[in-house]
Amino acid sequence: MKYIAVILPVLILSCGAAEIPPLTGGVCLRYDDNQKPEVWAAMMELFAAHDATFSAALNMLDFSPEYFPVVRALAEHGHEIIDHAPNHRMFKFRAADAAEFALYQNHPGVEYADAESRWIYLKYTVKLDVPSHPRGRGNFRDGKLFQVVPAGIFGNIPVNFPRMIYIPAVKKIVAVRKTAEDGVFQVCSFYGSESAGLPELTGAEFIWPRGRGMIQPDDRALELLISVVRRRCELIGIAAPRVWVQPAGWEPVMQSAAMIRTYGKNGYVAADCLEDRLAWYYNDPDFAVSRFGTSARALSLDVAELPAVKTMIADAVAQHQVLTVISHIRTGNLNKYLSDTAALLLWLKEHDIPLRSMADWTNFLASAQTPRDAQIMPDCRTDRDGDGRPDGFFASQGVQLSIVADGAQLSGRGAGKLEIPGLCGMLKGKNLVKIILKGPPGSPVRFTFIQRSAAGRVTATAVDGAVFDQDGTLERDFVLDIAPGTAKLYTGMSFVSLRRPVVLQSITMRAQQ
């Protein structure tokens, strides 16, 4: 047998509560925004019947005191209450009454406040000294931007996601969004639908501070938002939230670094900042950041059928990932939604897939350790979702992947690939990967291993080839050195031809003792 030594940055995986087995992936079911009281009541009854809990991301200033008992009931039934920004906005909020307005209007994090509407607008920072920021010119008049040069500078602007631009002539950030008229953009205040208050400008220069983190709330503004939510929770009679969730839509999104500086120092243990991390990973060496920067999966029962949701979770669990699955319960058939949710909860219990809150999962992952003798590759014969494909394994387009008596079989008309795209749980240092295949004698196989950080940065790669023996057997051992920055491992096997099926009989990975 031939050995390949791959020197890569290592990863650290974390597990959690003692009652959850090591290296067991899992899920958090999160429901965003303020649902009707009868919807929350139905959800609480359903989850109680299955001895389970969910997470509710609420906008704490978007409801009246009549809603307080609903929120208290959620907390009393053990459901996690998440901070989803007071009014689903990060750069402004609306005081509940005149007394609250008077309490906050002169806070150092406030840019200005409107007593009539009780809206309080927060300070923010902008990074303008970035050479790569796109620059252009255009005419501003009557709340419109037109005759923009260069044309197409903004690309395809989604209706609910405007571009924020800085106009040096007036030293102001405004929002522009597309209109039905080609080449004409609506201009409004950075804060939302309010008028931008611009004078008529001809050929005015503008800068588009493009990129994540270019526009952020002032830290004092974030501290104020924390205080607003805490005060509201005290009035309701519940504990302060431990998790924050980015309100998607109009505004620039938050950076995990800002959340750590502010929310992280005020009792929050996790956040969803809509960053590129789509799951939490065991032994993530950067988990102190990842716990504040992971984005939830939107494939939920209000946008997908139950089998697709099961498959997403099954593949994540096989690779030792923890998913937060969000739903807004936007469905025209609540009874079907509840029925599908009940079926999902039964399936999770049947397959021992842990269901926890976002806070509990992050605390779990921050403390657990992977046993040195743990076998962490997914089992090529396990199919939790019943789709006939082994969980955690994927085949390239045009290739059929199925479970047979002696393993996972690939077949097709030509070349193809078998992949495990996001395995986590590896211990740092040398790990032994052992692969056993059956296939056409003399046919070549290419093996690829790519290590990545939780944010997707490549930390190391290794490639090697081999050929099936005369009896159609191929057994290979690989020594992978998992590097310090690695959180997940891609494993790929490429085959020149699958006209004669190939069977993966076994794949294992353990830390070298």
Side-chain angles (χ1 to χ4, degrees):
M1 296 181 182
K2 181 179 178 182
Y3 289 81
I4 299 177
V6 184
I7 308 300
L8 311 169
V10 179
L11 102 91
I12 303 175
L13 290 209
S14 351
C15 298
E19 70 271 16
I20 302 177
L23 290 180
T24 299
V27 65
C28 168
L29 298 180
R30 194 183 90 205
Y31 302 93
D32 285 9
D33 303 336
N34 303 341
Q35 305 297 327
K36 295 179 180 179
E38 58 268 27
V39 172
W40 285 133
M43 293 291 288
M44 284 189 284
E45 181 180 357
L46 172 61
F47 274 72
H50 293 272
D51 192 25
T53 58
F54 58 82
S55 298
L58 304 181
N59 314 117
M60 291 295 186
L61 286 180
D62 270 350
F63 52 76
S64 66
E66 286 74 23
Y67 200 82
F68 287 7
V70 177
V71 182
R72 281 196 295 269
L74 287 167
E76 289 166 0
H77 283 79
H79 305 294
E80 179 180 47
I81 304 298
I82 289 175
D83 179 356
H84 197 24
N87 296 103
H88 207 271
R89 292 295 186 92
M90 282 306 296
F91 292 83
K92 68 178 184 178
F93 68 91
R94 187 171 186 265
D97 50 40
E100 187 171 66
F101 179 85
L103 181 65
Y104 297 132
Q105 64 175 327
N106 296 317
H107 189 279
V110 172
E111 181 68 23
Y112 69 94
D114 179 53
E116 183 177 355
S117 66
R118 301 197 307 275
W119 277 105
I120 295 176
Y121 302 87
L122 304 178
K123 291 180 178 179
Y124 58 88
T125 61
V126 186
K127 295 180 181 179
L128 295 173
D129 56 345
V130 178
S132 61
H133 285 338
R135 295 171 179 262
R137 291 185 178 274
N139 298 336
F140 295 84
R141 186 172 63 243
D142 298 330
K144 300 288 180 64
L145 167 63
F146 53 96
Q147 294 184 351
V148 175
V149 179
I153 184 175
F154 300 122
N156 183 24
I157 305 180
V159 173
N160 292 324
F161 294 86
R163 304 294 190 238
M164 303 296 178
I165 62 172
Y166 176 75
I167 307 172
V170 293
K171 296 181 173 57
K172 182 180 286 190
I173 289 274
V174 299
V176 297
R177 54 199 292 180
K178 66 180 180 181
T179 66
E181 189 177 353
D182 188 36
V184 177
F185 303 88
Q186 178 188 0
V187 181
C188 58
S189 161
F190 165 79
Y191 293 102
S193 58
E194 301 88 353
S195 168
L198 293 178
E200 183 173 331
L201 300 169
T202 302
E205 180 189 14
F206 63 82
I207 303 170
W208 174 18
R210 181 174 60 183
R212 178 179 294 276
M214 295 298 105
I215 305 175
Q216 294 284 280
D218 185 279
D219 281 3
R220 294 168 296 179
L222 296 178
E223 296 281 356
L224 174 56
L225 289 174
I226 294 169
S227 298
V228 169
V229 170
R230 283 185 169 173
R231 180 174 185 270
R232 191 68 159 177
C233 289
E234 290 175 1
L235 292 173
I236 296 170
I238 62 172
R242 296 185 296 161
V243 177
W244 177 90
V245 167
Q246 171 79 48
W250 177 275
E251 300 173 318
V253 297
M254 292 296 302
Q255 279 192 307
S256 54
M259 301 309 299
I260 294 168
R261 283 197 312 270
T262 54
Y263 286 75
K265 292 182 179 179
N266 282 278
Y268 287 69
V269 299
D272 178 348
C273 287
L274 303 181
E275 292 190 355
D276 296 332
R277 304 169 181 86
L278 294 178
W280 280 319
Y281 307 114
Y282 286 82
N283 290 354
D284 177 0
D286 201 25
F287 191 68
V289 174
S290 295
R291 68 192 300 163
F292 284 94
T294 297
S295 181
R297 296 287 183 94
L299 187 63
S300 58
L301 291 173
D302 49 359
V303 296
E305 294 298 322
L306 178 60
V309 176
K310 286 182 178 180
T311 295
M312 176 186 67
I313 295 173
D315 287 329
V317 168
Q319 298 177 90
H320 318 306
Q321 300 177 5
V322 174
L323 295 184
T324 298
V325 182
I326 65 168
S327 170
H328 294 84
I329 318 183
R330 294 170 182 163
T331 173
N333 188 338
L334 181 60
N335 288 334
K336 181 181 184 300
Y337 185 90
L338 294 171
S339 176
D340 286 346
T341 301
L344 178 61
L345 293 172
L346 285 171
W347 177 77
L348 292 173
K349 187 172 183 179
E350 176 186 353
H351 293 281
D352 296 321
I353 298 174
L355 172 63
R356 292 291 187 272
S357 69
M358 289 183 69
D360 287 348
W361 270 122
T362 53
N363 290 334
F364 169 78
L365 290 168
S367 59
Q369 295 294 322
T370 300
R372 291 203 61 82
D373 60 350
Q375 194 297 99
I376 66 170
M377 281 290 182
D379 177 37
C380 60
R381 296 173 180 81
T382 297
D383 179 19
R384 297 174 182 85
D385 58 327
D387 66 351
R389 174 179 60 82
D391 299 339
F393 292 82
F394 298 83
S396 54
Q397 187 174 4
V399 175
Q400 183 177 355
L401 173 60
S402 59
I403 296 176
V404 294
D406 53 349
Q409 177 176 283
L410 291 93
S411 58
R413 295 184 176 181
K417 185 180 294 185
L418 177 64
E419 300 171 307
I420 305 170
L423 181 71
C424 61
M426 305 81 68
L427 286 170
K428 286 187 171 79
K430 288 181 169 51
N431 283 254
L432 178 62
V433 178
K434 184 177 184 64
I435 300 174
I436 303 176
L437 294 161
K438 291 287 285 186
S443 181
V445 183
R446 178 185 174 92
F447 299 95
T448 303
F449 302 95
I450 302 174
Q451 298 185 42
R452 297 182 183 274
S453 69
R457 178 178 57 86
V458 174
T459 53
T461 61
V463 178
D464 192 53
V467 177
F468 284 99
D469 294 341
Q470 291 184 352
D471 64 354
T473 300
L474 176 56
E475 295 188 18
R476 294 301 304 272
D477 285 356
F478 303 91
V479 177
L480 299 184
D481 194 358
I482 302 300
T486 299
K488 51 187 175 178
L489 173 69
Y490 166 90
T491 300
M493 293 168 251
S494 301
F495 306 93
V496 172
S497 175
L498 292 171
R499 291 184 180 274
R500 293 178 61 182
V502 170
V503 176
L504 173 66
Q505 294 185 324
S506 175
I507 179 169
T508 60
M509 180 174 183
R510 289 184 172 88
Q512 280 195 335
Q513 302 301 312

